[in-house]
Amino acid sequence: MNNRKQKVIETAHQLFIEKGYNATSVQDILDGSGISKGTFYNYFPSKSELFIAIFRSLYKKINDEREAVLIGKELTDIEGFIEQLEIQMIFNKQSNMLILIEEVLVSNDEELKKFIKRIQLLSLRWTYGRFIDIFGESKKPYLLDLAAIFLGMMIQMNHYNQLAQSVGSAEKNIIRYCIDRIIQILNEISTNGVQILDPELIDTWLPNFRNHHHQCHNDLLQSILALKKATNKTFCGSNQREQALELIDFIQDELLQSTKPRRFLLDSTIQTLTSLYPAQAKETIDHFRANINACLGQLDNDI
């Protein structure tokens, strides 16, 4: 994404926070970002498309920060999950994500409402996947129910905590409180065999994201984090470092966000990426490439 387009996204986001989405006009965005109307519509077909671009940018930042938390940690580590959620809660407050979502959901823009509902399903899917990591496959029949309960609990507890302006209930305290309640509920319903939502529903609601539950994607994310760490050590702030990180991010997005990854682009990008690294990084690169091939192989079976 070029700098001017990113500036438009950042300017619009700030205006949406200050004035609200509906009260912010395209002209406000043009004035704030210093671009022409023609340039704006070259970047975004509509204001709603700009809103979607903002949320995609924010979602990617949250994802990157959540992934970084897991470096050196096991997926089963509940403390790592709590850290991930704390980062997300703080980020949501700083970016006013939940307030913007509420405004859009009561608007007449069906395209945006559909997009927001998809974001909410992605959040449910991510939580459900992390619950499987933490509580294990044996508890899987109950974990979609618990993911829905947990998200609702978190939203309401956070809302009323802010309303009370409580100083003593920081994000981590709320998260830990909700997690403890979920563990108690899980013990009860797994003993009684009570279930409302069939976990298979998540694949019906988000059919193109089934492959994200595969172990190969967890392996890929771990190898991405390892490669980024090696990149920071190898290039120490040079232009090559920025180029390498951009290529890694492109590969990650193509594999994890696209329903049909473009293999010819991936092959070309991997070749370019490999050419940047010295011989001593070969093992890390090879591991990264192996995980990409594993994900592509699994994708062949899923789509």
Side-chain angles (χ1 to χ4, degrees), residues 79-96:
E79 292 301 318
F81 179 56
I82 290 171
E83 272 189 70
Q84 287 181 309
L85 291 171
E86 184 181 21
I87 286 171
Q88 182 172 317
M89 282 181 70
I90 293 171
F91 190 90
N92 285 346
K93 286 180 182 178
Q94 292 173 343
S95 62
N96 274 34

Side-chain angles (χ1 to χ4, degrees), residues 60-72 84 87 126 220-222 224-225 228 249 252 256-257:
K60 184 179 185 306
K61 287 179 182 176
I62 288 176
N63 244 3
D64 288 346
E65 291 193 29
R66 287 190 311 205
E67 289 166 16
V69 165
L70 295 180
I71 295 176
Q84 287 181 309
I87 286 171
W126 180 82
L220 176 63
L221 291 174
Q222 291 298 324
I224 285 171
L225 293 172
K228 285 185 175 181
D249 283 341
Q252 178 178 344
L256 300 185
Q257 302 300 331

Side-chain angles (χ1 to χ4, degrees), residues 31-283:
D31 294 341
S33 55
I35 62 167
S36 68
K37 186 175 287 188
T39 301
F40 175 88
Y41 285 111
N42 183 48
Y43 291 153
F44 310 102
S46 63
K47 189 174 81 166
S48 61
E49 285 293 330
L50 171 56
F51 183 93
I52 289 171
I54 289 170
F55 261 74
R56 282 180 174 153
S57 176
L58 294 174
Y59 189 82
K60 184 179 185 306
K61 287 179 182 176
I62 288 176
N63 244 3
D64 288 346
E65 291 193 29
R66 287 190 311 205
E67 289 166 16
V69 165
L70 295 180
I71 295 176
K73 293 186 176 71
E74 296 293 333
L75 291 175
T76 54
D77 181 4
I78 201 165
E79 292 301 318
F81 179 56
I82 290 171
E83 272 189 70
Q84 287 181 309
L85 291 171
E86 184 181 21
I87 286 171
Q88 182 172 317
M89 282 181 70
I90 293 171
F91 190 90
N92 285 346
K93 286 180 182 178
Q94 292 173 343
S95 62
N96 274 34
M97 282 185 74
L98 298 181
I99 293 173
L100 292 175
I101 285 174
E102 287 177 6
E103 183 179 1
V104 166
L105 286 176
V106 297
S107 73
N108 294 321
D109 194 322
E110 293 303 320
E111 179 188 2
L112 279 186
K113 286 198 278 190
K114 184 178 178 181
F115 174 75
I116 291 301
K117 286 177 181 177
R118 185 171 180 81
I119 289 288
Q120 291 172 330
L121 284 174
L122 286 172
S123 179
L124 177 66
R125 181 185 62 80
W126 180 82
T127 306
Y128 166 67
R130 291 296 285 120
F131 277 4
I132 294 173
D133 294 334
I134 293 164
F135 299 118
E137 289 284 336
S138 65
K139 304 294 186 183
K140 190 173 178 179
Y142 316 105
L143 296 183
L144 187 57
D145 286 349
L146 289 181
I149 293 169
F150 179 72
L151 290 175
M153 193 185 302
M154 287 274 290
I155 289 169
Q156 293 301 317
M157 288 298 296
N158 191 49
H159 170 74
Y160 288 112
N161 181 61
Q162 288 183 340
L163 196 64
Q165 296 181 334
S166 173
V167 178
S169 299
E171 287 82 5
K172 190 168 285 189
N173 292 335
I174 293 173
I175 295 164
R176 200 177 296 280
Y177 175 87
C178 293
I179 284 286
D180 288 345
R181 304 290 77 73
I182 287 298
I183 292 171
Q184 290 178 338
I185 296 170
L186 176 59
N187 291 334
E188 179 185 343
I189 64 176
S190 60
T191 299
N192 298 330
V194 180
Q195 178 194 39
I196 299 295
L197 299 175
D198 186 334
E200 297 299 320
L201 285 169
I202 201 71
D203 290 338
T204 303
W205 295 334
L206 290 167
N208 294 324
F209 285 83
R210 278 182 293 183
N211 54 327
H212 286 212
H213 294 304
H214 290 297
Q215 182 59 39
C216 74
H217 283 80
N218 289 330
D219 294 340
L220 176 63
L221 291 174
Q222 291 298 324
S223 67
I224 285 171
L225 293 172
L227 185 55
K228 285 185 175 181
K229 192 173 180 179
T231 300
N232 289 329
K233 287 183 179 179
T234 301
F235 298 117
C236 299
S238 68
N239 290 335
Q240 280 184 307
R241 173 183 173 277
E242 295 304 318
Q243 185 182 358
L245 291 175
E246 286 180 7
L247 292 172
I248 295 168
D249 283 341
F250 172 82
I251 292 169
Q252 178 178 344
D253 288 347
E254 191 68 14
L255 279 167
L256 300 185
Q257 302 300 331
S258 174
T259 57
K260 292 185 179 179
R262 295 164 290 181
R263 294 168 190 253
F264 69 96
L265 280 179
L266 286 169
D267 288 339
S268 174
T269 306
I270 292 166
Q271 286 180 4
T272 304
L273 182 66
T274 302
S275 69
L276 296 175
Y277 289 84
Q280 57 264 35
K282 184 178 184 302
E283 185 178 344

